[in-house]
Amino acid sequence: MVYGLLAAAIVFGLGAFGASIGNGMIFSKTIEGISRQPELRGSLQTTAFIGVGLVEALPIISLVLAFILMGQAE
Amino acid sequence: MKGVKSSNMDHLVPIIKIFGIEFDLAAILMVVLSSIIVFVLARLAVRNLSVENPGKLQNFLEWVVEFVQSIIGMATDFKRGRVYTGLGLALIMYIFVSNMLGLPFGIVSEAHDNQIPKVFGQELIVKGEHEHLAWLWWKSPTADMAMTMALALTVIVLSHIQGVRHNRKHYLKHYFEPWPFFLPINLIETAAKPLTLGLRLYGNIYAGEVMIGIILGMGWVGIPALMVWQGFSIFVGAIQAFVFTMLTMVYIGQASIHDEH
């Protein structure tokens, strides 16, 4: 059985799910904020990218784990 | 993995052992190289400084300094935080240059007849089984976990030291805020800060490099994919440098700058 490949797929699949939901929430609120106050566009964009950098930390770590697990597949 | 031609994951890391400690030669070389690049860039920018007639490089560096100061202003109180401008400038330039270094190309050396070469009289260590020995000498310095964790630990230890020096009462009290039984949670937060700071940078850059290796394994078909991925990696590298610097300033500000009491 290829437990390593299966584990890698599950790890990164769930991580990707979390990353997409998190980024989607961040940007939907950002777009809403920009539509309410267009003059704050630069500041809101910057904060959104900071948020993306933070939210994507754990899914990226799960990607690295997936690579390690793939290397251990039999 | 069999069947993936010249995938990045099949390249060995050139490690030598001196006095029982393992040194990663590729990482050492790349760290020195990116330090030299940042140093030369900074020194060239401050030659012939002029107020009325700044050169292009001086203008660029002034923009970077103002950007770092805006980050400090976003993160904490600017009047007391502006002493950290030098730290922020060094961090953002160094991390950005390091993230970009691994993108253009990679330098691989292969062994004839699977003979293990010697560097400084020490054999390179080969871990595991490989059919074809190849070592990767050029990669991003930040694609190495030791390097990013060193940066993160340096910065977090600095924040603790500054907290104890400048803000002792409030720094010790904040472990028990808002309620005393929050102490384990605050301790976990203290342990998680350097971990996530270092692993975030490492994971982003290392995953980007592995993807480049996989796309290269696809041959001619992968050329448009490679272009798109390189562009995205430049974007990710810039964002990660920015996020690292911003979080550094936030942690230092949280620990040492509290004057509303």
Side-chain angles (χ1 to χ4, degrees):
Chain A
M1 287 287 289
V2 282
Y3 286 123
L5 290 178
L6 194 59
I10 295 178
V11 161
F12 188 54
L14 291 177
F17 183 63
S20 56
I21 298 251
N23 283 344
M25 285 172 70
I26 289 177
F27 280 110
S28 82
K29 291 295 180 184
T30 305
I31 293 174
E32 198 178 319
I34 293 178
S35 67
R36 283 177 190 233
Q37 278 188 286
E39 64 266 12
L40 283 185
R41 178 178 164 173
S43 166
L44 285 176
Q45 259 183 343
T46 308
T47 312
F49 285 128
I50 297 171
V52 163
L54 289 177
V55 156
E56 295 217 347
L58 273 163
I60 296 274
I61 294 173
S62 82
L63 176 62
V64 174
L65 263 178
F67 286 140
I68 297 176
L69 287 170
M70 265 209 297
Q72 290 180 359
E74 3 168 358
Chain B
M1 284 182 343
K2 295 205 289 266
V4 181
K5 185 170 71 107
S6 72
S7 122
N8 222 358
M9 291 172 15
D10 241 7
H11 289 157
L12 289 165
V13 179
I15 306 180
I16 66 173
K17 208 169 192 148
I18 302 183
F19 299 125
I21 308 177
E22 298 187 350
F23 290 94
D24 181 347
L25 288 175
I28 294 176
L29 280 172
M30 296 312 296
V31 164
V32 169
L33 179 65
S34 65
S35 309
I36 291 177
I37 290 179
V38 171
F39 183 75
V40 165
L41 201 66
R43 288 302 279 181
L44 279 181
V46 297
R47 274 195 332 170
N48 306 328
L49 278 180
S50 148
V51 174
E52 306 89 17
N53 197 14
K56 281 187 293 203
L57 208 49
Q58 176 186 340
N59 219 357
F60 170 69
L61 202 62
E62 284 181 7
W63 174 77
V64 177
V65 170
E66 280 182 5
F67 186 60
V68 170
Q69 288 186 331
S70 81
I71 292 179
I72 298 178
M74 265 195 275
T76 173
D77 171 32
F78 183 61
K79 251 179 0 111
R80 296 169 54 181
R82 70 182 296 177
V83 290
Y84 299 109
T85 306
L87 173 69
L89 187 66
L91 275 177
I92 199 171
M93 282 177 68
Y94 186 74
I95 296 178
F96 182 68
V97 167
S98 299
N99 293 350
M100 297 298 122
L101 269 182
L103 294 180
F105 46 82
I107 300 181
V108 177
S109 70
E110 300 188 345
H112 294 298
D113 303 327
N114 277 1
Q115 280 178 342
I116 301 180
K118 285 176 181 279
V119 179
F120 298 135
Q122 305 274 347
E123 275 194 2
L124 298 183
I125 300 178
V126 177
K127 296 193 177 152
E129 297 220 346
H130 300 264
E131 341 170 310
H132 187 72
L133 294 178
W135 283 273
L136 181 68
W137 288 92
W138 183 284
K139 59 180 183 182
S140 283
T142 36
D144 199 54
M145 202 183 331
M147 160 70 181
T148 60
M149 292 305 293
L151 276 177
L153 274 177
T154 305
V155 151
I156 298 291
V157 166
L158 176 70
S159 78
H160 284 304
I161 290 177
Q162 293 295 89
V164 170
R165 276 175 66 196
H166 293 293
N167 209 15
R168 196 165 305 165
K169 202 166 57 97
H170 194 275
Y171 169 76
L172 290 175
K173 241 182 47 157
H174 100 273
Y175 283 110
F176 300 96
E177 304 253 339
W179 300 106
F181 65 84
F182 266 53
L183 180 66
I185 300 181
N186 286 329
L187 286 178
I188 294 179
E189 182 192 14
T190 311
K193 277 183 192 172
L195 268 180
T196 54
L197 200 57
L199 283 180
R200 177 184 301 119
L201 182 58
Y202 164 65
N204 272 291
I205 308 303
Y206 180 65
E209 291 208 336
V210 171
M211 277 299 293
I212 289 180
I214 292 180
I215 292 180
L216 283 177
M218 280 170 25
W220 294 107
V221 178
I223 289 188
L226 189 63
M227 284 172 16
V228 169
W229 187 250
Q230 298 266 35
F232 185 67
S233 285
I234 297 177
F235 176 64
V236 164
I239 293 236
Q240 289 308 315
F242 172 59
V243 166
F244 194 99
T245 310
M246 156 82 76
L247 278 180
T248 303
M249 294 307 155
V250 165
Y251 293 153
I252 294 181
Q254 272 180 351
S256 65
I257 299 177
H258 268 284
D259 52 1
E260 70 261 20
H261 301 299

